[in-house]
């Protein structure tokens, strides 16, 4: 018998362990294993005490000797070997694709173990066998502690994080176990902890989670924020990017202490309510293995530099703190643990979307990643301009990655690490004008006056802002200013002159090769003018931008020359929403052409509008603009690409009015609550005794600007040398380093675990559930009927018109309504197949674009009915009349339009009688019939009868002339119809229920006779 010391609230508890385990206990494994086997009780007790020790340091548990756990009187022999674990393949169960909700494992009753003799190392050390990145977690609780158990994608390696629940309110006690456990060992460890806490309720499963976002504290104890639901949104280099769909806030305090602390801090519940105003399930993203806070170019350069220095990975986590929105929640973990990012996931706020372009079997992936800065973040009218640190409002970095993943990872064959030439990217930037200006929305005006609060002759905020842009993107910077130049009441034009003077002042100190390129253009005035081409002007600007900054393409200098993007295009209007998104789309479209040309997909660098590829890209940028607009302005885009291309329908005016009203309502009534949630979540406001509460602050100006005491004693930066010379240097691509020795000595997971994350060995998957097959693609917009007939060009770069454009909204969810089509016109188009692509009428192009830009989600299925109108024939002239020009296709038609169309057609046919083509053919056949029909005076057949006459006579029987069967109800209706009163024109109350007066009753109610149904002409 061996004496084991386990964790308890009051101390160690003795537990008797049997020498022979029972059969039922040894065959049950709560972690998915089929057998527990035997284990060294000293090692097991050591691990349990390590987890339960209150004196564990931040770097891991303390070392405990065998005497501390097994006792000095029970010295065990050291002649029995460590039991051999079964192969991992036997432990791995076949599973389906990962669901959105995590699955947990729970320990069963603690099994007994046979005493083992081996004192050697049973568990490997962290990082010894390469990457051990955790993808799913389970949270267990006891009366005094939380245990967060993390497992990898294969469910073969596990790690443990211990969180103390009895610590003081201001302290967070977290200890990490530096040992990597197998599934069977983790099961035994949890059972040991459960046995040690039997007297206080044992070990219970709290919840399952996909990740830990960090810890936050308001007035009392800490809370733990967990991810409970996720969904895949993109895949880059074999690394999945997920969107947060659900979170849970778990208090660390025990239930007995929580009741006392709530009475002590009555404002705790209000802080939790303010935090709930920030919806973390919308537009927050994370990744386990890919740094989404950095651009693809920065990640590739960083990894190459590490490999060049002899390291397979960078020495430390290099997240861009500007885009880590849970940075404040990570602070306690960063102070306590060395491997905080192994447990806590950095999240970004913005927009991520991915789609594919299919080019005759080649698949090109387009990924859009928008990252919103956490500095000076807030709502529209509450955050304008820049703060004294140079951070601007609505600062968003947009990156578009275009790749052809012939090989999944970033590596090229060879092996050449991080040298895959099929990855390209381009980065843009948007942000508010970097000046000190505000707008007061306290009144009822939807467009408050703009006030320049501080006139800085040295433009310190703009200098800090552009120096930060040089640090992030390099030089040169292309500034595109789209605010209004002339107004009746000066508003935006106030900032135009001041911004122009700021750029002029800063440029005079920069070297000639690094000066800021400034372009100011009144886009709003150009869009309202009939003689200006908005898209053409933006296209010329976009080509100039691409020639200035370039774009990134990965590769090996020995095979293909890699390219780097130096500099960035900074676009802004007054809100950085509508006009900015349209301009960024045109620049992104031009960059897309260059990226596809670099990949060898197209021979030219330009792309035409109304093609499948550009329409798909347009739809992605509309979603991108809508998301950014909702986050900052509170509503969707008001002016879209349809507006600036001047192809929008008249119905879009009502939509613009609705979106404008929503934006006004949110800015006036809801932005204050959203701003408080931002300040609380980002750590801009931290509760302190004696300080005013968050909801008592009249303004949050001091929460987003530096305290004067922090910089008053520091030396100011030079007004002339306002930039950092190191940031102006051109970036260089590190050379490719071959790592053959490392690859041969270690498995692929030692370098990167994309293989396990993307391909998921031993997992059962189906095409319907794999993300790569579910994402949006140009193939969804190919009409199946046209492809079957063999007259449709499958190229996504072919110009589409309204005649051959058939999108899923039109094919699958046809609208209810009536359209009139002329078969003669359809026959002409069928005879001339080339007309499908050569027809470039403005109406058709407009229709094609409108169909592409219609939203795809949350639409109810409907049916569209077509009324085939046959070509008319003029009876007087005996020839076909000239067809009328096609009318615009209005779908769906309202009842008033339907009634008006019916009445007009009825009048036209009455004044100009006509007959259809089929009726004319039938009349001509009757006149020219070869049979001279005699007058029928007898039942005898005429001499030499025609075969057609004989068949008709034989088909007619006496039964056909008999009285047809009629029901009693029909006979009663017929008798009632024949009954005529003395005053037939007088309608009495008794006549109201009759069928003949149905239309009359409708007319009395004020409804039109032609409004209910269409009258056939």
């Amino acid at each position: 018998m061996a004496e084991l010391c386990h964790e308890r609230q009051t101390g160690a508890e003795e537990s008797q362990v049997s020498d022979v385990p029972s059969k039922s206990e040894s065959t049950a494994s709560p972690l998915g294993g089929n057998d527990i086997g035997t284990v060294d009780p000293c090692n097991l007790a050591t691990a349990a005490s390590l987890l339960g020790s209150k004196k564990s340091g931040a770097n891991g548990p303390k070392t405990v000797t065998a005497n501390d756990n097994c006792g000095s009187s029970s010295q065990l022999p050291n002649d029995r070997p460590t039991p051999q674990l079964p192969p991992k393949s036997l432990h791995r169960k076949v599973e389906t694709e990962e669901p959105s909700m995590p699955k947990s494992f729970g320990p069963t009753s603690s099994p007994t173990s046979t005493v083992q003799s081996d004192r050697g190392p049973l568990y490997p050390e962290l990082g010894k066998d390469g990457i051990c990145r955790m993808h799913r977690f389970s949270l267990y609780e006891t009366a005094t502690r939380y245990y967060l158990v993390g497992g990898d994608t294969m469910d073969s390696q596990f790690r443990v994080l211990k969180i103390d629940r009895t610590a003081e309110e201001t302290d967070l006690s977290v200890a990490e176990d530096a040992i990597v456990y197998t599934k069977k060992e983790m099961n035994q460890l949890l059972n040991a902890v459960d046995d040690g806490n039997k007297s206080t309720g044992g070990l219970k499963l709290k919840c399952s989670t996909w990740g830990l976002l960090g810890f936050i504290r308001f007035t009392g104890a800490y809370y733990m924020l967990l991810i409970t639901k996720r969904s895949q949104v993109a895949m880059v280099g074999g690394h999945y990017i997920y969107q947060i769909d659900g979170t849970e806030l778990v208090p660390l305090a025990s239930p007995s202490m929580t009741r006392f602390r709530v009475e002590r801090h009555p404002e705790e519940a209000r802080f939790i309510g303010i935090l709930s105003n920030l919806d973390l399930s919308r537009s927050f993203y994370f990744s386990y293995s890919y740094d989404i806070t950095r651009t693809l170019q920065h990640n590739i350069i960083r990894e190459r530099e590490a490999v060049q220095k002899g390291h397979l990975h960078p020495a430390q986590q290099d997240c861009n703190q500007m885009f880590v929105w849970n940075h404040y929640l990570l602070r306690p973990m960063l102070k306590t643990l060395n491997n905080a990012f192994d447990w806590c996931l950095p999240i970004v706020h913005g927009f991520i979307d991915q789609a594919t372009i299919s080019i005759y079997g080649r698949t090109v992936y387009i990924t859009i990643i928008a990252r919103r800065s956490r500095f000076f973040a807030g709502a529209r009218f509450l955050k304008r301009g820049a703060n004294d640190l140079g951070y601007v409002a609505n600062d968003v970095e947009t990156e578009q990655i275009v790749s052809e993943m012939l090989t999944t990872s970033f590596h090229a064959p060879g092996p050449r690490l991080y040298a895959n030439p099929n990855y390209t990217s381009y980065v843009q930037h948007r942000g508010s004008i970097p000046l000190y200006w505000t707008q007061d929305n306290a009144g009822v005006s939807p467009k408050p006056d703009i006030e320049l609060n501080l006139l800085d002759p040295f433009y310190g905020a703009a200098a800090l802002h552009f120096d930060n842009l040089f640090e992030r993107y390099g030089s040169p910077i292309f500034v595109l200013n789209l605010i209004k130049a002339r107004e009746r009441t000066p508003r935006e034009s106030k900032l135009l002159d001041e911004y122009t003077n700021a750029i002029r002042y800063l440029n005079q100190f920069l070297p000639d090769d690094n000066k800021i390129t400034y372009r100011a253009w009144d886009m709003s005035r150009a869009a309202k003018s009939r003689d200006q081409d908005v898209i053409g002007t933006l296209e010329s600007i976009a080509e100039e931008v691409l020639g200035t900054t370039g774009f990134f393409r990965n590769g090996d200098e020995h095979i293909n020359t890699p390219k780097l993007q130096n500099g960035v295009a900074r676009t802004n209007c007054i809100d950085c929403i509508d006009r900015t998104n349209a301009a960024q789309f045109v620049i992104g479209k031009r960059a897309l052409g260059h990226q596809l040309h670099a990949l060898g997909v197209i021979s030219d660098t330009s792309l035409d509008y109304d093609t499948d590829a550009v329409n798909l890209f347009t739809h992605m940028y509309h979603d991108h603009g809508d998301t950014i607009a909702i986050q900052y302005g509170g509503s969707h885009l008001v002016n879209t690409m349809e507006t600036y291309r001047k192809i929008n329908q008249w119905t879009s005016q009502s939509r613009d009015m609705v979106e404008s009203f929503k934006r006004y309502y949110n800015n006036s009534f809801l932005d204050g609550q959203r701003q408080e949630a931002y300040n609380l979540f980002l750590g801009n406001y931290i509760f302190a005794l004696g300080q005013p509460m968050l909801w008592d602050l009249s303004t949050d100006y001091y929460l987003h600007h530096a305290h004067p005491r922090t910089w008053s004693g520091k030396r100011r930066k030079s007004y002339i040398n306002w930039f950092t010379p190191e940031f102006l240097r051109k970036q260089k691509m590190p050379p490719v380093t071959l790592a053959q020795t490392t690859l041969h000595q270690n498995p692929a997971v030692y370098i990167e675990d994309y293989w396990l994350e993307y391909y998921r060995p031993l997992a059962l998957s189906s095409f319907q559930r794999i993300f790569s097959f579910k994402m949006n693609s140009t193939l969804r917009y190919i009409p199946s009927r046209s492809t079957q007939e063999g007259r449709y060009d499958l190229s996504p770069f072919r110009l589409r018109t309204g005649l051959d454009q058939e999108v899923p909204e039109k094919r699958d969810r046809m609208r209810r309504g009536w359209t009139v089509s002329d078969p003669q016109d359809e026959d002409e188009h069928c005879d001339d197949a080339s007309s499908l692509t050569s027809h470039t009428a403005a109406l058709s192009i407009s229709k094609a674009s409108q169909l592409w830009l219609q939203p795809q989600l949350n639409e109810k299925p409907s049916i569209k009915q077509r009324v085939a109108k046959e070509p008319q024939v003029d009876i007087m002239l005996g020839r076909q009349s000239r067809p009328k020009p096609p009318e615009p296709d209005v779908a769906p038609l309202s009842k008033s339009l339907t009634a008006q169309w019916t009445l007009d057609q009825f009048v036209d046919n009455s004044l100009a009688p006509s007959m259809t083509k089929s009726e004319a053919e039938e009349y001509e056949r009757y006149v020219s019939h070869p049979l001279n029909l005699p007058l029928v005076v007898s039942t005898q057949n005429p001499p030499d009868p025609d075969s057609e006459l004989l068949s008709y006579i034989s088909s007619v029987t006496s039964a056909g002339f008999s009285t047809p069967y009629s029901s009693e109800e029909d006979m009663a209706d017929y008798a009632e119809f024949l009954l005529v009163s003395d005053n037939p024109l007088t309608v009495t109350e008794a006549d109201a229920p009759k069928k003949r007066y149905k239309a009359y009753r409708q007319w009395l109610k004020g409804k039109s006779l032609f409004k209910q149904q269409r009258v056939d002409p």
Side-chain angles (χ1 to χ4, degrees), residues 39-75:
V39 67
D40 188 350
C42 291
N43 289 335
L44 178 60
T46 301
S49 62
L50 291 177
L51 292 174
S53 176
K54 296 184 180 180
K55 299 181 180 181
S56 300
N59 298 329
K62 70 173 185 178
T63 304
V64 183
T65 60
N67 295 334
D68 295 334
N69 297 277
C70 299
S72 58
S73 60
S74 58
Q75 188 70 22

XYZ file of all heavy atoms in Angstrom, residues 39-75:
246
model
N 0.093 3.051 -13.345
C 0.893 4.268 -13.282
C 1.619 4.289 -11.956
O 1.165 3.726 -10.957
C -0.007 5.513 -13.430
C -0.917 5.668 -12.243
C 0.838 6.777 -13.628
N 2.752 4.934 -11.949
C 3.531 5.083 -10.729
C 2.800 6.017 -9.786
O 2.564 7.176 -10.108
C 4.902 5.670 -11.090
C 5.835 5.666 -9.897
O 5.359 5.392 -8.785
O 7.034 5.937 -10.101
N 2.400 5.557 -8.606
C 1.643 6.426 -7.702
C 2.462 7.612 -7.217
O 1.919 8.658 -6.917
C 1.251 5.501 -6.553
C 2.248 4.397 -6.593
C 2.600 4.202 -8.015
N 3.789 7.450 -7.101
C 4.593 8.588 -6.666
C 4.582 9.684 -7.716
O 4.463 10.860 -7.404
C 6.027 8.136 -6.380
S 6.173 7.072 -4.930
N 4.718 9.281 -8.990
C 4.672 10.285 -10.050
C 3.291 10.916 -10.142
O 3.147 12.100 -10.412
C 5.052 9.656 -11.389
C 6.533 9.319 -11.462
O 7.341 9.933 -10.768
N 6.879 8.330 -12.290
N 2.258 10.088 -9.972
C 0.899 10.611 -10.016
C 0.646 11.581 -8.861
O 0.071 12.652 -9.046
C -0.094 9.449 -9.956
C -1.578 9.830 -9.945
C -1.930 10.596 -11.196
C -2.435 8.574 -9.813
N 1.081 11.195 -7.692
C 0.900 12.087 -6.552
C 1.731 13.347 -6.694
O 1.329 14.431 -6.276
C 1.288 11.349 -5.255
N 2.897 13.192 -7.297
C 3.729 14.377 -7.536
C 3.014 15.360 -8.442
O 2.977 16.561 -8.190
C 5.066 13.956 -8.148
O 5.728 13.061 -7.247
C 5.949 15.174 -8.398
N 2.438 14.839 -9.533
C 1.730 15.724 -10.461
C 0.519 16.364 -9.809
O 0.230 17.543 -10.022
C 1.299 14.934 -11.702
N -0.204 15.570 -8.991
C -1.375 16.134 -8.326
C -0.983 17.208 -7.332
O -1.630 18.246 -7.219
C -2.152 15.022 -7.623
N 0.090 16.982 -6.632
C 0.512 17.990 -5.657
C 1.067 19.217 -6.344
O 0.970 20.334 -5.825
C 1.551 17.400 -4.707
O 2.708 17.008 -5.442
N 1.678 19.014 -7.511
C 2.163 20.161 -8.267
C 1.022 21.064 -8.657
O 1.127 22.290 -8.621
C 2.927 19.693 -9.507
C 4.277 18.994 -9.259
C 4.863 18.528 -10.573
C 5.246 19.902 -8.533
N -0.091 20.458 -9.099
C -1.251 21.258 -9.476
C -1.919 21.870 -8.267
O -2.531 22.942 -8.352
C -2.263 20.390 -10.230
C -1.818 19.905 -11.611
C -2.846 18.953 -12.178
C -1.599 21.077 -12.533
N -1.852 21.202 -7.135
C -2.547 21.701 -5.961
C -1.713 22.577 -5.067
O -2.216 23.113 -4.092
N -0.434 22.727 -5.363
C 0.425 23.527 -4.486
C 0.105 24.998 -4.614
O 0.034 25.545 -5.693
C 1.905 23.285 -4.862
O 2.729 24.104 -4.085
N -0.105 25.654 -3.515
C -0.405 27.085 -3.525
C 0.847 27.926 -3.685
O 0.758 29.117 -3.930
C -1.102 27.480 -2.221
C -2.456 26.830 -2.029
C -3.113 27.340 -0.783
C -4.473 26.700 -0.579
N -5.138 27.197 0.639
N 2.006 27.295 -3.555
C 3.244 28.048 -3.630
C 3.897 27.908 -5.006
O 5.075 28.164 -5.153
C 4.224 27.581 -2.553
C 3.684 27.771 -1.134
C 4.689 27.317 -0.109
C 4.163 27.495 1.301
N 5.134 27.071 2.315
N 3.160 27.485 -6.012
C 3.722 27.324 -7.337
C 4.072 28.683 -7.896
O 3.329 29.633 -7.780
C 2.727 26.609 -8.265
O 2.443 25.341 -7.734
N 5.206 28.744 -8.572
C 5.642 29.998 -9.168
C 4.990 30.224 -10.499
O 4.214 29.429 -11.007
N 5.359 31.361 -11.107
C 4.781 31.733 -12.397
C 5.333 30.900 -13.516
O 4.683 30.706 -14.527
C 5.039 33.225 -12.666
N 6.561 30.390 -13.363
C 7.175 29.633 -14.438
C 6.815 28.164 -14.408
O 7.246 27.407 -15.262
C 8.701 29.787 -14.380
C 9.127 31.225 -14.562
O 8.449 31.973 -15.256
N 10.237 31.610 -13.957
N 6.038 27.735 -13.475
C 5.677 26.339 -13.392
C 5.597 25.902 -11.950
O 5.889 26.637 -11.007
N 5.192 24.684 -11.731
C 5.063 24.195 -10.354
C 6.411 23.944 -9.709
O 7.408 23.736 -10.390
C 4.269 22.904 -10.523
C 4.584 22.464 -11.905
C 4.785 23.700 -12.713
N 6.425 23.960 -8.405
C 7.685 23.734 -7.699
C 8.007 22.248 -7.713
O 7.170 21.387 -7.964
C 7.572 24.223 -6.256
C 6.656 23.369 -5.394
C 6.703 23.776 -3.951
C 5.865 22.825 -3.097
N 5.946 23.181 -1.661
N 9.245 21.933 -7.432
C 9.703 20.546 -7.399
C 9.382 19.940 -6.040
O 9.719 20.504 -4.996
C 11.205 20.474 -7.670
O 11.465 21.109 -8.915
C 11.680 19.039 -7.711
N 8.750 18.801 -6.086
C 8.358 18.114 -4.854
C 9.051 16.757 -4.835
O 9.009 16.016 -5.822
C 6.824 17.937 -4.785
C 6.438 17.295 -3.464
C 6.141 19.291 -4.938
N 9.671 16.424 -3.733
C 10.385 15.157 -3.622
C 9.417 14.020 -3.379
O 8.249 14.226 -3.043
C 11.404 15.219 -2.478
O 10.706 15.483 -1.256
C 12.421 16.340 -2.720
N 9.943 12.802 -3.480
C 9.100 11.620 -3.274
C 8.633 11.519 -1.831
O 7.540 11.033 -1.554
C 9.865 10.364 -3.680
N 9.458 11.981 -0.887
C 9.055 11.901 0.518
C 7.873 12.804 0.820
O 7.124 12.555 1.747
C 10.247 12.280 1.417
C 11.377 11.281 1.307
O 11.129 10.128 0.977
N 12.600 11.720 1.564
N 7.727 13.883 0.037
C 6.612 14.771 0.286
C 5.292 14.152 -0.112
O 4.245 14.595 0.348
C 6.809 16.084 -0.502
C 8.026 16.849 -0.004
O 8.363 16.655 1.171
O 8.614 17.618 -0.787
N 5.310 13.152 -0.965
C 4.070 12.611 -1.491
C 3.848 11.168 -1.069
O 2.738 10.786 -0.767
C 4.083 12.693 -3.028
C 4.145 14.128 -3.526
O 3.132 14.793 -3.616
N 5.346 14.592 -3.837
N 4.880 10.372 -1.111
C 4.701 8.947 -0.853
C 5.092 8.548 0.565
O 4.819 7.433 0.987
C 5.521 8.129 -1.857
S 5.006 8.420 -3.564
N 5.770 9.415 1.275
C 6.150 9.073 2.641
C 7.479 8.355 2.690
O 7.857 7.611 1.799
N 8.192 8.544 3.777
C 9.524 7.947 3.894
C 9.459 6.475 4.247
O 10.418 5.750 4.065
C 10.340 8.710 4.956
O 9.655 8.666 6.194
N 8.350 6.004 4.814
C 8.253 4.618 5.249
C 7.956 3.666 4.125
O 8.140 2.467 4.287
C 7.162 4.488 6.317
O 5.917 4.905 5.760
N 7.513 4.149 3.011
C 7.160 3.252 1.892
C 8.118 3.492 0.746
O 7.779 4.099 -0.248
C 5.716 3.520 1.449
O 5.564 4.874 1.076
N 9.376 3.059 0.924
C 10.362 3.178 -0.137
C 10.081 2.106 -1.181
O 10.029 0.922 -0.885
C 11.769 3.006 0.453
C 12.878 3.296 -0.554
C 12.955 4.765 -0.889
O 12.484 5.586 -0.097
N 13.513 5.087 -2.025
